[in-house]
Amino acid sequence: MEGIMYMVRCGRYSRPHFNLLLLIILQLGLHTVDGVWPLPQKFTSSTERYSLNSQAFYFGYGKQSAAKQGCSVLDAAFKRYFPLIFPDYTSGNGVLRFNQEQAFTVEISVDHDDCESYPNEDTSEKYNLSVSAGQASLNAETVWGAVRGLETFSQLVYQDDFGSYFVNKTEIEDFPRFQFRGILLDTSRHYLPVQAILKTLDAMAYSKFNVFHWHIVDDPSFPYQSRTFADLSSKGAFHPMTHIYTQLDVKRVISHARLWGIRVLPEFDSPGHTQSWGKGQPGLLTPCYKGSTPSGSFGPVNPVLPSTYEFMAKLFKEVSLVFPDSYMHLGGDEVNFSCWRSNPDVRAFMQKMGFGQDFTKLEAFYMENIMNITSALNKTSIVWQDVFDYHERRSSLSVVEVWKKGCYLCEVRKLTKARLRVILASPWYLDQPGPTHKWARYYKVWPLAFKGTEEQKKLVIGGEVCMWGEYVDATNLSPRLWPRASAAAERLWSDEKQTFSVNKAFPRLQDFRCKLVRRGIKAEPLHIGHCKHEYEGV
Amino acid sequence: MEGIMYMVRCGRYSRPHFNLLLLIILQLGLHTVDGVWPLPQKFTSSTERYSLNSQAFYFGYGKQSAAKQGCSVLDAAFKRYFPLIFPDYTSGNGVLRFNQEQAFTVEISVDHDDCESYPNEDTSEKYNLSVSAGQASLNAETVWGAVRGLETFSQLVYQDDFGSYFVNKTEIEDFPRFQFRGILLDTSRHYLPVQAILKTLDAMAYSKFNVFHWHIVDDPSFPYQSRTFADLSSKGAFHPMTHIYTQLDVKRVISHARLWGIRVLPEFDSPGHTQSWGKGQPGLLTPCYKGSTPSGSFGPVNPVLPSTYEFMAKLFKEVSLVFPDSYMHLGGDEVNFSCWRSNPDVRAFMQKMGFGQDFTKLEAFYMENIMNITSALNKTSIVWQDVFDYHERRSSLSVVEVWKKGCYLCEVRKLTKARLRVILASPWYLDQPGPTHKWARYYKVWPLAFKGTEEQKKLVIGGEVCMWGEYVDATNLSPRLWPRASAAAERLWSDEKQTFSVNKAFPRLQDFRCKLVRRGIKAEPLHIGHCKHEYEGV
């Protein structure tokens, strides 16, 4: 092992022929704590390292790159990543260090000039990264792949005990295992200030999440300020001025997410979970009956009135224009039938439709109508698994999200057998506080460990971390989410074979958690210990 | 109820004769959400309210007050409480509102000029507060009582929907049920930046906690920078420069705590929990043996060497000078005997002393020596219950802290029967994440619900919330502590009979939690809902 020692000592000055280099295939952080999280698909690194200097560090576009200077996504990414790579750098310090290091350039080349587009379900996030003396080459098909590569590069840079920056000679080929890697935030049970959402988007990008599932409204409040139906938020939000998302707020969120390559998937859950809708839209909810008289309380959306579908068509038309993503989440979970059952008009409708006493048929009827509305708007609908469980005409469904506990892989198997695309959420409910040292329960999840064909497995398009809002708001969102969600992130991005071992992952996750803390994310500790730079906020 | 309505509408202008006032005894927030937390012992409030204006609001000293302008504690308290009472106030805004309200003065009178002293175990925190038109009178025996009264006053002030400030006519007589109301922070398992400690002290004062139990060192790290033994932190801290508490840091913490009327109780836990001590003090820990040879690992402090007690005497001498409080926590918990048992010198000592195989006797011998050291320094020692459980000469103990689960009141009973003073911690271990909506488990604690004489009950001097550091650092300290610790705070301060009902406490605690959030404390939500002002940090 003399060779390695030599290179460690003289790395910066040695220029050995590439073939002579003793390359170490980094086996999941065994050989280094400073890994990349989530683990790239192919990762070859050497002990040869290069000094980096913030005064002589540049991002540039390759000559062959389809995207050039002026590319909004990449120019913004360069600006963001510079201080992430050099966290000590303050533009105002004015002290030029004696520059004995050579300049270092990260050269980005992408195949498509998709700088003004939005990431979507077909977006390639693949990238290749090659770090050598004086240069890193980052090649990707899309700007979104380049953004993922920049994140990886930023994680490769480290500081020694004297504060000097280094990056090791590295070759990476990387791409996500699953196309859909989401985090759900619930802004109805508690309102999250826009800043808290933006900060979460930043942290998501550090773990290479690419979908922000915005569970924007629900029973407790309706904070989305609709252009079409102003009363929904003015009467249904916790407060009509301070606890709403204006159109501008939503635009900011979408625009911030776009620059990170994150899709914003809106969910307007119905027919259940709609109590707050009723406040601003009289006649929308089903009046519940006690005996033969209305009780004064209301149940799910009223599925028997044409006015319901007219309202929904207008609302979803607006939503489809506000949110550019091609997916729309329609909810459809946890519908309580007791109010429908109590209502004579609903019962009459059931009889007319020949549904008998089976209210699941009524729910299916309702969802069918809503899905027709969204497909007419050219949107792919996602629904919670309840809709599938109740549905006979399953072919009309497209993407189903599995959330129930128990044998969730049984459900995944059933869904893929019915040729439906699946998003898995069950094992990643993080809203309840849990001991962070038991993070491995979110890591040891095997989404494809069910009996099925290759075709079936391909239908599992990804997974999602759910942060429901019963007990979560801006005071505790970050530590509850991070770094537990990062465990899920690696499961969704990385090769399962290379990331099978919890013990091997642990030091890398600890290191990554410290990186999050350094970046100002309140990611809570996994165990006794310390970070070089502790969280200094209060 | 006409009378009330009238006063609500015209409150500000009405000057009804006092005897005609319809006084409402506020029964624990049933009649108002804006209560005081923890609930004062006697609280009479009227619907008559007075407008407050930050431009015409003054603190002043009463003519009879022993403390006058220049009193460090009160002058600093006035400065702190002004922005807490008027959270919208920014000194720079320069806009003078048209002042139709009369001036309002809070006049403070205290019996003793204890402005430069430290709060201690005999400190009276009793205060009377009377709010009437144009004036509030706050009377207390000590400046510390006045500080408690200012907190109460600040919680009485509220804003209407237009942002105007009001305070209702109120009479309060208040004093704590228990003298010792502590929070333990553990700065060894994770290092807490000084700012995080100071912020916790602020939040403690809002809940009227009065003891900061600083579990400053333990196995993982020794962050206390000793003047006498510099190696303890330079070799035993996580990092010798960035993860230590300098003498200046400790002074800042003590001084900040003093201004809030909070005692700082240092704990240097031994003979167990001392792995980090061994790094900077060779020879202190017991060498463990494997058969007849040292294994290379070390156990608890070596109780058989005179050098141990010489070291401890010097260290505790220093600690007694650095920390002004008359209490000192000596630890004594969870000593693992296996290393002592393996060591031939320890075994020989056991034989010589006639301890047989009973290592609890050796621990008692060790603790006896340490307690002799501290009592020679005029300090009252606190130990964890293990020491009592192992001790035969129980009369040498003074204060014992109960921490073990199970029938903790059985232990309290035993201790008080042995005429020892008791601090109860068992029901208030908050380091593990718990569902905050189950806060009532920290509220429904009845520290005196054991069979015993009145004399015995008086020996229960208080209780303590323990925030151990395995999974806690500055990233998650605040939401893990608050508002759950506030539930314990009310149990320790308020009258048990008036605070028996969880349902009555709930809206008051929700309101108090929003006050904490408004003051910048990341207190997590108790349930679905919102605060008028959400936490805006990220």
Side-chain angles (χ1 to χ4, degrees):
Chain A
M1 298 295 273
E2 183 68 5
I4 296 180
M5 292 310 294
Y6 177 78
M7 278 192 294
V8 170
R9 268 183 272 122
C10 343
R12 194 161 96 200
Y13 307 102
S14 67
R15 292 278 176 276
H17 187 270
F18 188 81
N19 289 335
L20 292 177
L21 255 181
L22 181 57
L23 290 174
I24 298 171
I25 295 173
L26 286 175
Q27 294 230 337
L28 324 176
L30 265 191
H31 300 273
T32 174
V33 196
D34 302 287
V36 174
W37 191 280
L39 191 74
Q41 302 285 344
K42 288 190 190 175
F43 189 165
T44 317
S45 172
S46 137
T47 50
E48 181 170 329
R49 68 180 190 177
Y50 314 111
S51 181
L52 298 185
N53 175 354
S54 61
Q55 310 287 344
F57 179 90
Y58 310 96
F59 291 108
Y61 291 89
K63 280 185 191 141
Q64 306 299 322
S65 178
K68 308 275 185 201
Q69 193 151 350
C71 172
S72 61
V73 172
L74 291 178
D75 285 358
F78 299 161
K79 203 170 165 182
R80 282 196 313 266
Y81 273 108
F82 186 82
L84 295 178
I85 292 167
F86 300 105
D88 289 338
Y89 182 83
T90 48
S91 56
N93 65 5
V95 179
L96 268 171
R97 285 200 288 173
F98 176 64
N99 183 359
Q100 59 166 314
E101 296 95 354
Q102 61 176 352
F104 192 98
T105 305
V106 180
E107 197 183 85
I108 284 95
S109 295
V110 296
D111 299 342
H112 306 293
D113 173 10
D114 39 7
C115 300
E116 300 309 317
S117 73
Y118 289 90
N120 62 53
E121 75 271 26
D122 301 319
T123 291
S124 160
E125 292 170 286
K126 188 175 150 59
Y127 68 91
N128 291 339
L129 175 64
S130 170
V131 181
S132 54
Q135 202 192 17
S137 301
L138 172 57
N139 297 294
E141 292 174 6
T142 69
V143 293
W144 317 112
V147 169
R148 300 289 168 260
L150 284 170
E151 175 57 39
T152 297
F153 179 81
S154 77
Q155 293 189 25
L156 291 174
V157 177
Y158 58 94
Q159 285 180 279
D160 67 9
D161 285 344
F162 305 98
S164 299
Y165 293 95
F166 295 94
V167 64
N168 284 35
K169 187 170 175 60
T170 305
E171 296 289 331
I172 288 176
E173 290 175 35
D174 202 10
F175 52 88
R177 180 184 180 200
F178 292 106
Q179 166 218 109
F180 187 110
R181 305 178 309 282
I183 286 194
L184 174 151
L185 293 184
D186 168 2
T187 55
S188 172
R189 290 179 177 88
H190 282 100
Y191 178 80
L192 294 172
V194 172
Q195 278 302 335
I197 297 176
L198 301 184
K199 189 85 171 184
T200 302
L201 290 167
D202 296 349
M204 283 172 66
Y206 304 154
S207 287
K208 296 193 171 76
F209 279 104
N210 70 343
V211 180
F212 166 37
H213 175 170
W214 196 347
H215 187 87
I216 192 166
V217 297
D218 203 300
D219 283 328
S221 75
F222 196 105
Y224 172 75
Q225 190 177 44
S226 162
R227 322 193 262 234
T228 323
F229 302 100
D231 280 354
L232 288 172
S233 64
S234 72
K235 298 187 176 165
F238 284 132
H239 187 283
M241 298 305 290
T242 59
H243 286 63
I244 59 166
Y245 301 106
T246 64
Q247 291 290 320
L248 199 64
D249 292 333
V250 173
K251 273 201 175 68
R252 263 181 86 192
V253 168
I254 294 170
S255 148
H256 193 91
R258 185 184 87 87
L259 291 174
W260 283 121
I262 295 174
R263 301 160 56 192
V264 179
L265 166 67
E267 176 179 358
F268 285 78
D269 190 355
S270 74
H273 291 281
T274 49
Q275 286 294 303
S276 69
W277 304 41
K279 294 181 186 164
Q281 189 62 20
L284 179 66
L285 303 185
T286 310
C288 312
Y289 276 65
K290 206 168 182 180
S292 59
T293 47
S295 71
S297 67
F298 294 88
V301 165
N302 194 329
V304 312
L305 301 179
S307 60
T308 290
Y309 301 102
E310 286 157 22
F311 165 78
M312 287 294 185
K314 278 188 201 154
L315 179 66
F316 279 116
K317 168 88 178 169
E318 172 184 326
V319 170
S320 76
L321 295 171
V322 170
F323 293 88
D325 202 74
S326 63
Y327 281 25
M328 200 179 268
H329 205 302
L330 304 180
D333 58 318
E334 299 184 304
V335 182
N336 185 333
F337 297 141
S338 60
C339 182
W340 278 352
R341 195 177 285 122
S342 77
N343 183 298
D345 299 336
V346 174
R347 284 201 306 268
F349 185 80
M350 293 279 288
Q351 201 158 13
K352 185 181 124 197
M353 298 296 285
F355 291 163
Q357 293 297 312
D358 187 355
F359 284 87
T360 68
K361 288 194 170 125
L362 182 59
E363 186 191 347
F365 167 83
Y366 172 83
M367 290 308 295
E368 197 74 29
N369 276 296
I370 300 297
M371 288 187 287
N372 285 342
I373 290 170
T374 49
S375 66
L377 295 164
N378 273 324
K379 297 284 186 177
T380 302
S381 56
I382 308 185
V383 290
W384 295 107
Q385 72 178 86
D386 317 44
V387 179
F388 169 78
D389 297 343
Y390 291 158
H391 228 70
E392 284 174 0
R393 284 193 50 231
R394 288 168 169 184
S395 59
S396 62
L397 304 175
S398 29
V399 186
V400 178
E401 183 160 5
V402 174
W403 67 275
K404 295 193 178 178
K405 301 278 164 203
C407 182
Y408 54 79
L409 286 184
C410 302
E411 183 82 3
V412 173
R413 193 182 169 201
K414 264 194 269 177
L415 283 160
T416 55
K417 224 169 176 174
R419 295 196 187 158
L420 296 173
R421 280 173 284 169
V422 175
I423 297 163
L424 180 62
S426 309
W428 292 306
Y429 267 43
L430 295 188
D431 50 309
Q432 289 281 348
T436 292
H437 56 290
K438 296 196 178 154
W439 61 277
R441 65 176 68 163
Y442 312 110
Y443 195 70
K444 289 193 295 184
V445 171
W446 321 113
L448 303 185
F450 60 90
K451 272 195 189 167
T453 63
E454 273 312 296
E455 283 311 300
Q456 273 178 269
K457 311 253 160 148
K458 277 183 193 152
L459 288 167
V460 180
I461 62 172
E464 193 165 86
V465 167
C466 292
M467 184 55 68
W468 298 104
E470 276 88 347
Y471 314 115
V472 176
D473 70 5
T475 61
N476 60 352
L477 173 63
S478 286
R480 192 155 293 187
L481 201 45
W482 312 108
R484 294 189 299 165
S486 305
E490 180 150 294
R491 181 56 56 235
L492 292 168
W493 177 281
S494 306
D495 180 20
E496 195 171 274
K497 286 196 202 80
Q498 293 181 61
T499 55
F500 208 82
S501 159
V502 168
N503 289 339
K504 285 179 180 174
F506 182 60
R508 288 174 47 246
L509 184 56
Q510 274 201 310
D511 174 64
F512 178 65
R513 181 251 160 184
C514 287
K515 282 180 180 143
L516 291 178
V517 169
R518 185 86 201 263
R519 292 177 178 194
I521 305 297
K522 296 186 287 288
E524 66 177 17
L526 293 158
H527 202 55
I528 293 168
H530 75 291
C531 294
K532 202 166 166 181
H533 301 273
E534 301 292 352
Y535 184 74
E536 291 286 343
V538 285
Chain B
M1 299 295 273
E2 182 70 4
I4 294 181
M5 292 309 294
Y6 176 78
M7 278 195 291
V8 169
R9 266 183 274 122
C10 340
R12 197 161 94 199
Y13 306 103
S14 67
R15 292 280 176 275
H17 187 272
F18 188 82
N19 289 335
L20 292 177
L21 254 181
L22 182 56
L23 290 173
I24 298 171
I25 295 174
L26 287 172
Q27 293 230 337
L28 322 178
L30 266 191
H31 299 274
T32 175
V33 197
D34 301 286
V36 174
W37 191 280
L39 190 75
Q41 302 284 345
K42 289 190 188 175
F43 189 166
T44 317
S45 172
S46 136
T47 51
E48 180 171 329
R49 67 180 190 177
Y50 315 111
S51 182
L52 299 185
N53 174 355
S54 60
Q55 309 288 343
F57 180 90
Y58 309 97
F59 291 108
Y61 292 88
K63 281 188 190 136
Q64 307 299 323
S65 178
K68 308 274 183 202
Q69 193 151 351
C71 171
S72 60
V73 171
L74 291 178
D75 285 358
F78 300 160
K79 202 168 167 183
R80 281 195 314 265
Y81 273 107
F82 186 82
L84 295 178
I85 292 167
F86 300 105
D88 290 337
Y89 182 84
T90 48
S91 56
N93 65 7
V95 179
L96 268 172
R97 287 200 287 172
F98 176 64
N99 183 359
Q100 59 169 309
E101 297 95 355
Q102 61 174 355
F104 193 99
T105 304
V106 180
E107 197 183 85
I108 285 96
S109 295
V110 297
D111 300 342
H112 306 294
D113 173 10
D114 39 7
C115 300
E116 300 310 317
S117 73
Y118 288 90
N120 62 53
E121 76 272 24
D122 301 319
T123 290
S124 160
E125 292 170 286
K126 186 174 153 57
Y127 67 93
N128 291 340
L129 175 64
S130 169
V131 181
S132 53
Q135 201 193 18
S137 300
L138 172 57
N139 297 295
E141 292 173 7
T142 69
V143 293
W144 317 113
V147 169
R148 300 288 169 260
L150 284 170
E151 176 56 39
T152 297
F153 179 80
S154 77
Q155 293 189 25
L156 290 175
V157 177
Y158 58 94
Q159 286 180 279
D160 68 8
D161 285 344
F162 305 99
S164 297
Y165 294 94
F166 295 94
V167 64
N168 285 34
K169 186 168 175 62
T170 305
E171 295 289 331
I172 289 176
E173 290 175 35
D174 202 11
F175 53 87
R177 178 184 182 201
F178 292 106
Q179 164 218 109
F180 187 110
R181 305 177 310 280
I183 286 194
L184 175 152
L185 294 184
D186 167 3
T187 55
S188 172
R189 291 178 175 88
H190 282 99
Y191 177 81
L192 294 172
V194 172
Q195 279 303 333
I197 296 176
L198 301 184
K199 189 87 172 183
T200 302
L201 291 167
D202 296 349
M204 284 172 65
Y206 304 154
S207 288
K208 296 192 172 78
F209 280 104
N210 70 344
V211 180
F212 166 37
H213 175 170
W214 196 347
H215 188 86
I216 191 166
V217 298
D218 202 302
D219 284 328
S221 75
F222 196 106
Y224 173 75
Q225 188 176 46
S226 162
R227 321 194 265 236
T228 324
F229 302 100
D231 279 354
L232 287 172
S233 64
S234 72
K235 297 187 177 165
F238 283 133
H239 188 283
M241 297 305 290
T242 59
H243 286 62
I244 58 168
Y245 301 106
T246 64
Q247 291 291 319
L248 199 63
D249 291 333
V250 174
K251 273 202 174 67
R252 264 182 85 192
V253 168
I254 293 170
S255 148
H256 193 91
R258 183 184 89 88
L259 292 174
W260 282 122
I262 295 174
R263 300 160 56 192
V264 179
L265 166 67
E267 176 180 359
F268 284 80
D269 189 357
S270 74
H273 291 281
T274 49
Q275 287 293 301
S276 68
W277 304 39
K279 294 180 186 165
Q281 189 63 20
L284 178 66
L285 303 185
T286 310
C288 312
Y289 276 65
K290 204 168 182 180
S292 58
T293 48
S295 71
S297 67
F298 294 88
V301 164
N302 194 331
V304 312
L305 300 179
S307 60
T308 290
Y309 302 102
E310 287 157 22
F311 165 79
M312 287 294 185
K314 278 187 200 156
L315 180 66
F316 280 115
K317 167 88 178 169
E318 172 184 328
V319 170
S320 76
L321 296 171
V322 170
F323 293 88
D325 202 74
S326 62
Y327 280 26
M328 199 180 270
H329 204 303
L330 304 180
D333 59 319
E334 298 184 305
V335 181
N336 185 332
F337 296 142
S338 60
C339 182
W340 278 352
R341 195 177 285 121
S342 78
N343 182 300
D345 298 337
V346 174
R347 286 200 306 267
F349 185 81
M350 292 279 288
Q351 200 157 14
K352 186 181 124 198
M353 298 296 285
F355 292 163
Q357 294 297 312
D358 187 355
F359 284 87
T360 67
K361 289 194 168 123
L362 181 58
E363 188 192 344
F365 166 83
Y366 171 83
M367 290 309 295
E368 198 73 30
N369 276 295
I370 300 297
M371 288 186 289
N372 285 342
I373 289 170
T374 48
S375 65
L377 295 164
N378 272 326
K379 297 284 185 176
T380 303
S381 55
I382 308 185
V383 291
W384 295 107
Q385 72 177 87
D386 317 44
V387 178
F388 169 77
D389 296 344
Y390 291 158
H391 229 70
E392 285 175 357
R393 284 193 50 231
R394 288 166 170 184
S395 59
S396 63
L397 304 176
S398 29
V399 186
V400 178
E401 183 160 4
V402 174
W403 66 276
K404 294 192 179 179
K405 302 278 167 203
C407 181
Y408 53 80
L409 287 183
C410 302
E411 183 82 5
V412 173
R413 193 182 170 201
K414 263 193 273 178
L415 283 160
T416 53
K417 223 169 178 174
R419 296 193 186 160
L420 297 173
R421 279 172 285 169
V422 175
I423 297 163
L424 180 60
S426 308
W428 293 305
Y429 266 43
L430 295 188
D431 52 309
Q432 289 281 350
T436 291
H437 56 291
K438 297 196 178 154
W439 61 274
R441 64 176 67 163
Y442 311 110
Y443 195 71
K444 290 194 293 185
V445 171
W446 320 113
L448 302 186
F450 60 91
K451 274 194 188 165
T453 63
E454 274 311 296
E455 283 310 301
Q456 272 179 270
K457 311 253 161 148
K458 277 185 193 151
L459 287 167
V460 179
I461 61 172
E464 191 165 87
V465 166
C466 292
M467 185 54 69
W468 297 103
E470 276 86 347
Y471 314 115
V472 176
D473 70 5
T475 61
N476 59 353
L477 173 62
S478 286
R480 191 155 294 185
L481 201 45
W482 312 108
R484 294 191 298 166
S486 304
E490 180 152 294
R491 182 56 54 235
L492 292 169
W493 178 280
S494 305
D495 180 19
E496 197 172 270
K497 285 196 203 80
Q498 293 182 62
T499 55
F500 208 80
S501 159
V502 168
N503 289 340
K504 286 180 181 172
F506 182 60
R508 287 175 48 247
L509 185 56
Q510 274 200 310
D511 173 64
F512 179 64
R513 181 251 161 185
C514 286
K515 282 181 181 142
L516 292 177
V517 168
R518 184 87 200 264
R519 294 178 178 193
I521 306 297
K522 296 186 288 288
E524 64 177 18
L526 293 157
H527 202 53
I528 294 169
H530 76 290
C531 294
K532 201 165 167 183
H533 300 273
E534 302 290 354
Y535 184 74
E536 290 286 344
V538 286

